[in-house]
């Protein structure tokens, strides 16, 4: 698993909030409930960020693929035109 400093910081903040709440209330149940809610929000945000970054990677990949297809078409067109020019020069005896 890749080490993520932001994940560690978020868990530390959630733990600090839950610990502070537990000490101020004198009960663990409300603090545990708050920690679970905050962890759920963290996981949902993390998942949304991962999906967003994957969508951006897919978009950039499709743009690159389109550019490669366009370059390939231009090369094919250039090669076809060069062949046609050579054929015209052969038919005309080298003079256009």
């Amino acid at each position: 698993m890749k080490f993520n400093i932001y994940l560690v910081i978020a868990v530390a903040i959630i733990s600090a909030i839950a610990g502070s709440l537990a000490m101020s209330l004198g009960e663990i149940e409300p603090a545990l409930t708050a920690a679970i809610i905050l962890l759920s929000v963290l996981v949902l945000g993390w998942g949304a960020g991962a999906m967003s970054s994957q969508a951006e990677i897919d978009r950039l990949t499709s743009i690159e693929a389109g550019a490669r297809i366009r370059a390939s078409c231009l090369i094919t067109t250039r090669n076809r035109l060069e062949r046609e020019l050579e054929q015209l020069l052969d038919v005309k005896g080298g003079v256009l």
Side-chain angles (χ1 to χ4, degrees):
M1 184 172 149
K2 192 168 110 177
F3 179 74
N4 189 342
I5 187 71
Y6 300 110
L7 182 61
V8 172
I9 292 171
V11 171
I13 291 171
I14 290 171
S15 299
I17 290 171
S20 174
L21 185 60
M23 290 192 340
S24 67
L25 293 177
E27 297 179 5
I28 192 116
E29 290 84 12
L32 190 59
T33 303
I36 290 171
I37 291 170
L38 290 173
L39 282 173
S40 298
V41 170
L42 174 67
V43 169
L44 290 173
W46 190 14
M51 287 181 63
S52 177
S53 64
Q54 185 60 45
E56 183 66 14
I57 290 170
D58 292 343
R59 185 183 72 81
L60 292 174
T61 302
S62 68
I63 289 172
E64 183 180 343
R68 285 183 183 174
I69 291 170
R70 182 171 182 250
S72 175
C73 289
L74 291 173
I75 290 169
T76 303
T77 302
R78 184 197 67 209
N79 291 341
R80 181 180 51 84
L81 289 172
E82 285 176 349
R83 279 194 311 273
E84 289 177 3
L85 179 62
E86 287 175 6
Q87 290 172 353
L88 284 173
L89 287 174
D90 287 345
V91 170
K92 296 282 188 170
V95 179
L96 282 178

